[in-house]
């Protein structure tokens, strides 16, 4: 079993739709949870950063962490064509290296 | 600030050749990382460094070497290139070990 599991997609949704991306993990020591967005032929860029359980909102995006279920989610409540990218989850215990998911390729159809 | 820069952007190598991928950051970060990204496989950590003069192996270090003589630079050396090293290579840096990582634009390497 991989330490971090993420559905690779691809996922296609119409503009304006609500999108939910998810990762599950097996290491209960993970405390820091991140979502990176990677456009085609570019390096990943940090989108959301959360610590421990709970929700965090930033514009159209909401990150949720459920440590009891070892499950994290990223919601986009008004998806735009410019959101078409690959989304990678990443997580780490305190002061250690990040472990990345394989990424979900998302396309928003105008 | 330029952030994390990588050179070259693209390179084609023949089997058995060697090359160095360059990485520089101007954010005074102590932590630097090298990843490779293969289609559908996510990011695999090759080597990382916690400061000048200190490096350690990641998940897939075989066939690669690194050095860290300054805070800013973290070059990745490929010796005896093999087709299995065809990939996109990303360098990253961070202020904290488990913190936000800043990525470079990547080097697309093909070994034929």
């Amino acid at each position: 079993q991989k330490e971090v599991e993420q559905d690779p997609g691809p996922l296609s949704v119409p503009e304006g739709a609500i999108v939910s991306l998810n990762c599950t993990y097996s290491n209960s020591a993970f405390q820091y949870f991140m979502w990176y967005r990677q456009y085609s032929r570019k390096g990943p860029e940090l989108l959301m950063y959360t610590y421990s359980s709970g929700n965090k909102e930033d514009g159209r995006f909401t990150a949720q962490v459920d440590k009891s279920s070892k499950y994290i989610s990223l919601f986009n409540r008004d998806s735009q064509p410019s959101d078409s990218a690959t989304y990678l989850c990443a997580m780490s215990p305190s002061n250690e290296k990040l472990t990345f998911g394989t990424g979900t390729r998302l396309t928003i159809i105008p | 600030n330029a952030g994390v820069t990588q050179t070259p952007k693209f390179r084609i190598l023949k089997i058995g050749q060697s090359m160095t991928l360059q990485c520089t950051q101007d954010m005074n970060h102590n932590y630097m990382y090298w990843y490779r990204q293969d289609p559908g496989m996510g990011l695999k950590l090759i080597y990382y460094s916690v400061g000048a003069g200190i490096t350690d192996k990641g998940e897939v270090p075989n066939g690669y070497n690194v050095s860290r003589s300054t805070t800013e630079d973290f070059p990745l050396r490929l010796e005896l290139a093999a087709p299995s090293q065809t990939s996109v290579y990303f360098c990253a840096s961070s202020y904290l070990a488990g913190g936000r990582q800043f990525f470079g634009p990547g080097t697309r390497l093909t070994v034929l």
Side-chain angles (χ1 to χ4, degrees):
Chain A
Q1 181 189 7
K2 289 183 183 177
E3 211 167 11
V4 177
E5 299 272 5
Q6 184 175 10
D7 187 338
L11 183 63
S12 294
V13 300
E15 181 176 353
I18 297 173
V19 174
S20 171
L21 305 173
N22 312 293
C23 287
T24 59
Y25 62 94
S26 57
N27 187 346
S28 58
F30 287 146
Q31 294 189 63
Y32 297 89
F33 303 92
M34 298 164 221
W35 286 95
Y36 283 81
R37 179 171 60 192
Q38 184 178 20
Y39 290 114
S40 180
R41 296 182 175 265
K42 301 288 187 184
E45 293 180 307
L46 184 70
L47 186 61
M48 298 287 279
Y49 184 108
T50 55
Y51 171 72
S52 194
S53 284
N55 294 358
K56 183 175 182 179
E57 192 173 318
D58 186 358
R60 295 180 288 108
F61 293 93
T62 299
Q64 287 186 351
V65 175
D66 182 349
K67 290 188 71 179
S68 62
S69 301
K70 296 190 179 68
Y71 187 88
I72 70 170
S73 300
L74 178 71
F75 295 96
N76 180 349
R77 60 173 171 270
D78 181 21
S79 50
Q80 301 296 308
S82 59
D83 297 329
S84 296
T86 296
Y87 291 79
L88 300 115
C89 63
M91 47 198 81
S92 76
S94 176
N95 293 326
E96 290 191 26
K97 303 179 294 296
L98 292 181
T99 300
F100 285 85
T102 53
T104 300
R105 181 182 291 182
L106 174 67
T107 301
I108 309 300
I109 303 166
Chain B
N1 287 349
V4 179
T5 56
Q6 292 182 239
T7 57
K9 287 190 171 64
F10 306 94
R11 184 72 184 268
I12 298 175
L13 284 181
K14 293 182 179 178
I15 294 172
Q17 287 185 322
S18 61
M19 75 165 293
T20 299
L21 282 67
Q22 300 292 345
C23 175
T24 300
Q25 55 93 8
D26 62 359
M27 295 172 282
N28 202 33
H29 287 166
N30 281 327
Y31 296 89
M32 295 189 74
Y33 314 85
W34 274 106
Y35 295 92
R36 59 176 288 171
Q37 187 176 40
D38 301 308
M41 300 297 290
L43 291 162
K44 301 288 186 185
L45 183 64
I46 305 171
Y47 270 95
Y48 67 100
S49 170
V50 301
I54 306 170
T55 63
D56 206 349
K57 295 177 181 178
E59 188 180 355
V60 290
N62 291 345
Y64 308 95
N65 276 301
V66 293
S67 59
R68 183 97 181 269
S69 57
T70 67
T71 299
E72 295 78 21
D73 299 307
F74 190 39
L76 177 71
R77 178 82 176 163
L78 277 73
E79 305 280 3
L80 297 174
S84 61
Q85 293 178 306
T86 294
S87 189
V88 181
Y89 291 84
F90 289 102
C91 178
S93 72
S94 68
Y95 178 67
L96 296 173
R100 172 183 182 174
Q101 292 188 12
F102 294 79
F103 285 81
T107 294
R108 194 170 294 269
L109 175 68
T110 301
V111 181
L112 301 173

